[in-house]
Amino acid sequence: MEFKKNQEIELTIDDLGNNGEGIGHVDGYALFVKDALPGERIRAKIMKCKKNYGFARLMEILPEAGDGSTAGDGCGEATTSAGCAASDVGRVEPKCPVARQCGGCTLQHLSYEKQLAFKEKKVRDCLERIGEVDMSQVEWLPILGMTEDAEPWHYRNKAQFPVRMQKDETGTMHPVTGFFAGRTHSVIPVTDCGIQDKCMKEILELVLTWMEEQNIPAYDEEKHRGVVRHIFIRRGYHTGEIMVCLVVNAKGLKGNSGEALVKKLAAVPGMTSISLNVNMEKTNVILGSQMVWLWGKSYIEDSIGDIRYRISPQSFYQVNPVQTEKLYRTALEFADLSGDEVVWDLYCGIGTISLFLARQAKKVYGVEIVPEAIENAKENARLNGIENAEFACGPAEEVVPRMVGENGVGSGGAGANSENLAKADVVVVDPPRKGCDAVLLDTIEKMAPKRVVYVSCDPATLARDVKVLGEKGYQVEKVRACDMFPHGGHVETIVGLQKQDM
């Protein structure tokens, strides 16, 4: 059967893809259909065709054979004769009215219980299929979900909202903000998001009002004109401190517009830091390298457990504070520290995991590529009175080999002291989505730690690296998934590996 764009077709969904999209097959041809769930028979319109697969839009959920139910009205733009709350597939009514259009939450139409099951299955499948892990030899711990101590809503403490100009019903242009529609750069206007901290709605509306009053245009990607590109907001979960940073296509704000912005935002309870980030490049990268401080501090503070952290706009800090503490406590548990170990924390960010580990280790060395994050990490160690943690700046795959190899053991290079830097009882890695560099994995093998704790935000690259570590003599002993992103397709995973006698 030949497939083409705009063709409508019936199919049964039999699985979920990496981001929660439904997957069905017709004559061996795979179709990815957002908002469709396994077990549903659907009618879909093909939007894009590749050689062996395509993308389609959900048009209708069809009744099963013999189902005499009547049409439901809760499936957004798609219609259904089977109803939208079929318990067998886990379909629920999305809380957000623009959930279908928005590219943010891909699983709001799936019950939270089913979301957790999907994410556990995704991790297990990747470890078995890509990592070639014998799961019968692994201690599998149940996923850490947001079901016992918090609701899986309004959990995000950070967001970067794109800003664009759009016409209203009269044809007048106004600045809007929200989130990109799936696989596009078209903004779906929304200020009241169900997964963002509740303070963000007021802040977004204040900034948009300020732009209207000061006649400040939003950024136009195609023409590379306009001023405000993104509204970046962070809030400390435990401290209530708020940071607002406008990413601008300009070196600064004209006239008194900066003072007017500060006057509006400084009145928000908890406001601590207001700044501009200058990004005048033609790029999809959100933050530029230059900061302009308008009011308050250059950072906010928050805490995880009994560790307090200072966070700058460029710093990586997990977006779900409730789940972050569970994630780090699991990493600490998997590290199995007695107080005598030397630990290396690679991709350490602002020292979040490093300082968690330092309380129960002899020494911790953290490595991170972002200079501002390393400065935050050092300050965070001082802030918490932790003296057994040191930090070095640079790509982990370059810094660690240099500290261990080229400079010689105990040479004091790269900010190190006279201790034996090659010694590593435990190595913790928390890499970006692309996973660990091959050189870094080789270096871990040379350091020969007893245990490796791998914290990952991508099960596929995790499994790839676990396979490599397995070939280097490290066996997976424990696995636990953690749902940091309710209603989205991503999942965090903690894997504990033990060095085997070769």
Side-chain angles (χ1 to χ4, degrees):
M1 184 175 181
E2 185 177 346
F3 300 94
K4 57 186 179 181
K5 185 177 179 180
N6 294 325
Q7 177 182 356
E8 292 194 6
I9 196 165
E10 292 185 11
L11 71 158
T12 298
I13 301 300
D14 47 45
D15 202 356
L16 288 177
N18 190 48
N19 292 315
E21 66 276 29
I23 304 175
H25 297 82
V26 179
D27 293 341
Y29 189 79
L31 282 172
F32 293 83
V33 188
K34 184 178 180 291
D35 305 308
L37 297 175
E40 293 180 334
R41 182 74 179 171
I42 68 167
R43 179 172 59 85
K45 177 188 280 190
I46 297 177
M47 308 305 294
K48 189 173 184 180
C49 287
K50 298 286 187 178
K51 183 178 180 180
N52 298 314
Y53 65 93
F55 299 93
R57 179 178 180 79
L58 175 64
M59 302 301 291
E60 181 182 8
I61 302 171
L62 302 171
E64 296 183 7
D67 187 344
S69 57
T70 57
D73 60 358
C75 291
E77 296 176 19
T79 60
T80 173
S81 299
C84 283
S87 59
D88 55 338
V89 299
R91 181 172 287 279
V92 297
E93 178 72 14
K95 183 174 181 177
C96 177
V98 295
R100 282 204 78 200
Q101 301 98 301
C102 178
C105 294
T106 56
L107 290 174
Q108 270 201 38
H109 59 292
L110 183 63
S111 71
Y112 190 57
E113 180 183 9
K114 294 279 189 178
Q115 289 182 35
L116 296 179
F118 157 67
K119 293 178 182 184
E120 279 199 301
K121 181 178 183 297
K122 179 163 69 169
V123 172
R124 181 182 286 272
D125 287 351
C126 284
L127 289 174
E128 288 182 326
R129 179 172 50 85
I130 302 172
E132 298 181 3
V133 175
D134 181 1
M135 298 305 291
S136 68
Q137 303 299 309
V138 173
E139 182 182 355
W140 182 273
L141 299 170
I143 187 170
L144 295 165
M146 292 189 73
T147 52
E148 298 179 359
D149 48 6
E151 290 294 319
W153 299 101
H154 297 293
Y155 61 83
R156 286 188 63 101
N157 61 11
K158 184 192 84 166
Q160 298 157 142
F161 297 87
V163 187
R164 298 292 185 267
M165 301 299 293
Q166 286 189 11
K167 292 181 180 179
D168 62 15
E169 61 276 3
T170 68
T172 306
M173 297 293 286
H174 295 280
V176 300
T177 190
F179 295 101
F180 291 132
R183 295 190 296 276
T184 77
H185 269 203
S186 299
V187 171
I188 303 298
V190 60
T191 57
D192 189 7
C193 175
I195 65 171
Q196 305 295 341
D197 190 287
K198 292 180 180 180
C199 77
M200 295 187 187
K201 179 178 185 294
E202 178 185 5
I203 293 168
L204 294 173
E205 291 173 352
L206 285 173
V207 173
L208 293 175
T209 299
W210 166 79
M211 291 177 67
E212 294 266 22
E213 292 173 350
Q214 299 293 322
N215 195 28
I216 295 176
Y219 181 63
D220 185 317
E221 278 186 303
E222 293 183 2
K223 298 178 180 178
H224 192 52
R225 291 198 302 230
V227 177
V228 180
R229 300 174 69 134
H230 282 82
I231 304 170
F232 178 102
I233 306 173
R234 260 188 165 136
R235 180 179 182 272
Y237 178 74
H238 292 286
T239 63
E241 295 184 352
I242 298 172
M243 167 186 291
V244 176
C245 176
L246 297 193
V247 183
V248 295
N249 179 43
K251 294 181 179 179
L253 299 176
K254 293 182 179 180
N256 297 322
S257 58
E259 289 85 345
L261 176 65
V262 167
K263 183 177 180 180
K264 283 184 180 294
L265 293 179
V268 176
M271 189 60 63
T272 302
S273 174
I274 305 173
S275 63
L276 304 178
N277 177 268
V278 178
N279 185 352
M280 301 178 68
E281 302 295 324
K282 290 184 178 181
T283 176
N284 288 332
V285 176
I286 294 175
L287 292 177
S289 59
Q290 182 183 350
M291 295 296 302
V292 179
W293 304 105
L294 300 181
W295 181 86
K297 302 176 183 178
S298 60
Y299 59 86
I300 61 172
E301 294 188 0
D302 200 13
S303 60
I304 304 173
D306 60 351
I307 306 293
R308 197 171 179 91
Y309 300 95
R310 287 186 177 176
I311 311 157
S312 66
Q314 297 96 332
S315 299
F316 173 77
Y317 189 72
Q318 293 281 4
V319 300
N320 188 328
V322 173
Q323 296 298 92
T324 295
E325 184 165 349
K326 298 177 186 177
L327 182 79
Y328 290 173
R329 291 200 184 282
T330 303
L332 182 61
E333 174 191 330
F334 282 17
D336 193 23
L337 302 177
S338 66
D340 296 323
E341 294 85 359
V342 173
V343 181
W344 284 67
D345 178 16
L346 311 180
Y347 309 99
C348 71
I350 63 172
T352 47
I353 295 180
S354 303
L355 301 183
F356 238 67
L357 298 168
R359 292 283 178 88
Q360 296 188 35
K362 178 182 178 182
K363 188 77 177 183
V364 174
Y365 296 99
V367 181
E368 168 60 46
I369 192 172
V370 180
E372 293 86 356
I374 282 294
E375 290 307 309
N376 282 161
K378 293 176 179 178
E379 180 61 31
N380 289 332
R382 290 192 289 269
L383 186 65
N384 291 278
I386 295 175
E387 299 180 350
N388 62 331
E390 293 188 19
F391 299 94
C393 185
E397 58 269 20
E398 296 177 10
V399 171
V400 175
R402 183 170 71 246
M403 293 174 74
V404 173
E406 293 178 8
N407 289 328
V409 173
S411 68
N417 60 22
S418 61
E419 294 183 20
N420 183 349
L421 293 187
K423 177 178 172 56
D425 298 302
V426 178
V427 168
V428 177
V429 291
D430 185 6
R433 199 166 298 283
K434 66 179 181 179
C436 292
D437 186 275
V439 175
L440 182 64
L441 294 175
D442 290 340
T443 304
I444 291 174
E445 179 185 19
K446 294 174 184 176
M447 297 170 76
K450 294 179 291 185
R451 288 180 294 283
V452 175
V453 179
Y454 197 131
V455 181
S456 170
C457 58
D458 188 298
T461 56
L462 164 69
R464 179 202 67 199
D465 292 347
V466 160
K467 181 180 179 181
V468 174
L469 288 169
E471 293 166 352
K472 297 178 183 300
Y474 287 88
Q475 180 177 323
V476 176
E477 287 203 330
K478 297 180 180 181
V479 178
R480 188 160 209 174
C482 181
D483 186 25
M484 298 286 287
F485 314 103
H487 312 297
H490 297 303
V491 59
E492 292 273 334
T493 310
I494 314 99
V495 173
L497 302 102
Q498 183 78 24
K499 184 172 178 57
Q500 304 299 301
D501 295 329
M502 301 295 285

